[in-house]
Amino acid sequence: MKTNLTEGKFLIYTTLAVLLLMATHVFQPQISTIYNPKNYVGFHTLLESFSISISASIMLYGLKKFGATRSSRMLLLGVTFFLVGTLDLLHTLSFKGMPYFITESSIAKATWFWISARLIQSLLIFSILLIPDRILKRDYRAGVLSLGLIIVFLIGFSIINYENSLPLLVVEGRGTTLWKNGLEYIVSLIQFGSLMVALFQYHIEKREEKLAIALAFVFLLLTELIFTIYQSVFDLDNFSGHIFKAFGFYFILKSFYFSPSPNHENLREQDNEQLLKELPGFVFKAAKKGNQFILTVLEGNMLSQIDLYKEEVINRSLTEVFSSSNGTLNEYCHLSLRLQENIRFEMEYMEKSLLISIKPAIDEDEKETIIGTVIDMTGIHQLPVPKRNQKVEINNLQKIVM
């Protein structure tokens, strides 16, 4: 599935995100008249559930994709969103106003889970963008998930048991502390670096998913900046920050979940090329140009046996390449396009009896083309006498194309 995200849309969405942030502050007094902080815990749970669901989807996708591709990037993607989703879940369950969860829910506990998730998220996604993808020989999913569980347990144990000993991050009614702002600025700096890397990769590769991940970093960067200015965990700034985070996670989903694995695509292309080269016959593709068909693709193991070399014949007409056939192949190609049907016939070439199957097609440039497969039938049986109606069709076609 394509993301349908263009450079123009990227600029529009980025501008709208900044304008939305500005409007939230400019019209904050008016919005505050309809905003009820008593509803915040419910909306917070809803917004975080959206982000947690996306994390779970990307985690499952990454782990499943790793099973097919053995891509180190997919493995790291899976464990990244396992950690982020689990820590966001602990943040949601620990939020002030939520029911008792191991200990009393509190601002300090929820905020430390938040900042832990954001630090891990920013560092690991930045690593995914930078580290070259490799094909792993073994299945490390069980080991990596076990390591992820250990990390989550250690973070959760430390925050829950030493909540009162950890530095204070938020003073309710007064806002965030220097500790909180410092950590958020570190995350923001990493997010900005990820944004620059994603845009540079898009400039090089022109892949739409790179724009999607860049747009995700725009929203996530704004999210981190918002979380340095709120006064209360229930105020409008905190609420808008969670909305921006939900948008950021949505575009992460668009980028990773719906994007093909470049490494896997390359491997598949290499396998296809190798398969074509090992074909016992050969395949060709020819585009119609005037009354001739010009070779654009030629692959197969048989080519060297009949002294055909791709470098020499590509972009030449079928009539030139198969001159000894007196134009028969070219005429059958015209017939296939005219009837819009597959045609199978035999032809003598270089003292070999070739069974040729051709079919009409339209290429990416909307040009009429012929795709053909050729098999050596020498010695298997004698060439059949062409059927009368086939002779008539060819003779009539010769008159048309002359």
Side-chain angles (χ1 to χ4, degrees):
M1 177 183 287
K2 294 184 178 180
T3 62
N4 296 321
L5 184 63
T6 63
E7 295 174 13
K9 288 182 179 180
F10 173 83
L11 292 175
I12 291 172
Y13 293 152
T14 300
T15 303
L16 289 175
V18 175
L19 291 176
L20 177 61
L21 178 59
M22 294 172 60
T24 303
H25 285 273
V26 172
F27 300 103
Q28 192 170 45
Q30 291 82 358
I31 299 174
S32 296
T33 59
I34 59 174
Y35 172 73
N36 187 352
K38 292 181 180 180
N39 294 322
Y40 184 72
V41 174
F43 281 114
H44 174 268
T45 303
L46 182 64
L47 290 170
E48 286 293 350
S49 296
F50 178 77
S51 299
I52 293 166
S53 299
I54 289 179
S55 294
S57 298
I58 298 176
M59 178 199 73
L60 294 173
Y61 168 79
L63 295 177
K64 182 178 179 181
K65 195 77 171 178
F66 173 80
T69 64
R70 287 294 191 269
S71 165
S72 60
R73 184 170 293 164
M74 289 296 107
L75 182 62
L76 184 56
L77 179 69
V79 72
T80 295
F81 281 91
F82 169 75
L83 292 170
V84 171
T86 307
L87 290 174
D88 277 343
L89 177 61
L90 293 175
H91 160 75
T92 304
L93 295 174
S94 302
F95 196 81
K96 183 68 175 177
M98 293 291 285
Y100 186 93
F101 177 67
I102 303 178
T103 59
E104 287 290 342
S105 298
S106 67
I107 294 173
K109 187 167 61 170
T111 307
W112 270 107
F113 277 125
W114 166 272
I115 204 68
S116 299
R118 303 290 73 78
L119 283 167
I120 289 175
Q121 169 194 304
S122 59
L123 286 170
L124 291 185
I125 294 181
F126 189 57
S127 300
I128 291 172
L129 291 175
L130 288 180
I131 296 175
D133 198 8
R134 296 190 302 112
I135 303 301
L136 303 179
K137 295 181 179 180
R138 298 177 59 185
D139 189 346
Y140 294 99
R141 283 176 291 186
V144 168
L145 284 178
S146 298
L147 178 60
L149 281 171
I150 293 172
I151 293 173
V152 168
F153 175 79
L154 291 175
I155 293 174
F157 179 83
S158 300
I159 293 174
I160 291 172
N161 284 275
Y162 302 104
E163 173 188 343
N164 297 324
S165 301
L166 295 171
L168 191 62
L169 299 181
V170 179
V171 178
E172 181 62 17
R174 294 174 56 187
T176 55
T177 65
L178 289 176
W179 263 99
K180 173 70 156 56
N181 290 346
L183 292 172
E184 292 285 12
Y185 288 139
I186 291 173
V187 174
S188 299
L189 184 62
I190 299 171
Q191 301 279 26
F192 181 75
S194 298
L195 172 60
M196 294 297 102
V197 171
L199 289 175
F200 177 75
Q201 291 178 346
Y202 171 76
H203 174 71
I204 299 299
E205 303 174 22
K206 296 300 181 184
R207 298 172 67 89
E208 291 181 6
E209 56 268 22
K210 296 298 181 182
L211 271 185
I213 191 65
L215 190 56
F217 289 130
V218 169
F219 281 98
L220 294 176
L221 176 58
L222 294 176
T223 298
E224 300 308 322
L225 296 177
I226 290 171
F227 277 98
T228 63
I229 61 174
Y230 66 85
Q231 301 296 310
S232 167
V233 294
F234 303 105
D235 68 13
L236 185 60
D237 285 324
N238 196 292
F239 179 68
S240 63
H242 280 85
I243 292 177
F244 275 81
K245 181 199 172 191
F247 276 115
F249 270 56
Y250 167 75
F251 283 106
I252 289 177
L253 181 69
K254 291 280 283 183
S255 173
F256 286 111
Y257 193 83
F258 295 129
S259 66
S261 169
N263 196 288
H264 183 53
E265 280 190 337
N266 291 339
L267 288 176
R268 185 168 56 190
E269 288 177 3
Q270 292 173 7
D271 289 342
N272 289 341
E273 288 178 5
Q274 187 64 27
L275 180 62
L276 287 173
K277 290 177 181 178
E278 294 176 356
L279 279 174
F282 66 90
V283 297
F284 68 89
K285 185 177 180 181
K288 185 181 179 184
K289 186 175 181 181
N291 287 331
Q292 295 295 322
F293 287 85
I294 308 301
L295 277 170
T296 57
V297 175
L298 189 67
E299 293 286 355
N301 193 41
M302 181 183 169
L303 295 175
S304 59
Q305 301 175 22
I306 55 177
D307 295 326
L308 282 180
Y309 300 97
K310 182 170 64 174
E311 298 78 10
E312 298 177 1
V313 299
I314 288 294
N315 296 324
R316 292 173 59 189
S317 69
L318 291 177
T319 303
E320 287 183 84
V321 176
F322 298 96
S323 55
S324 62
S325 62
N326 297 320
T328 303
L329 178 55
N330 191 69
E331 291 161 3
Y332 272 117
C333 289
H334 278 288
L335 181 60
S336 178
L337 280 180
R338 176 186 171 187
L339 300 178
Q340 285 297 299
E341 292 181 358
N342 295 2
I343 295 179
R344 183 178 297 176
F345 59 95
E346 293 191 37
M347 184 181 78
E348 289 284 354
Y349 182 78
M350 298 290 289
E351 299 181 353
K352 289 184 178 293
S353 176
L354 305 180
L355 176 63
I356 302 177
S357 177
I358 59 175
K359 67 176 183 178
I362 301 293
D363 66 9
E364 296 176 354
D365 298 324
E366 297 187 354
K367 293 181 180 179
E368 292 181 308
T369 62
I370 289 292
I371 300 173
T373 59
V374 181
I375 299 176
D376 183 10
M377 302 294 288
T378 306
I380 297 179
H381 64 282
Q382 296 295 322
L383 284 172
V385 177
K387 295 180 181 178
R388 181 180 177 279
N389 61 347
Q390 195 176 65
K391 281 185 175 181
V392 172
E393 287 285 0
I394 294 176
N395 290 334
N396 290 338
L397 188 59
Q398 283 177 329
K399 295 177 182 178
I400 295 173
V401 300
M402 289 294 288

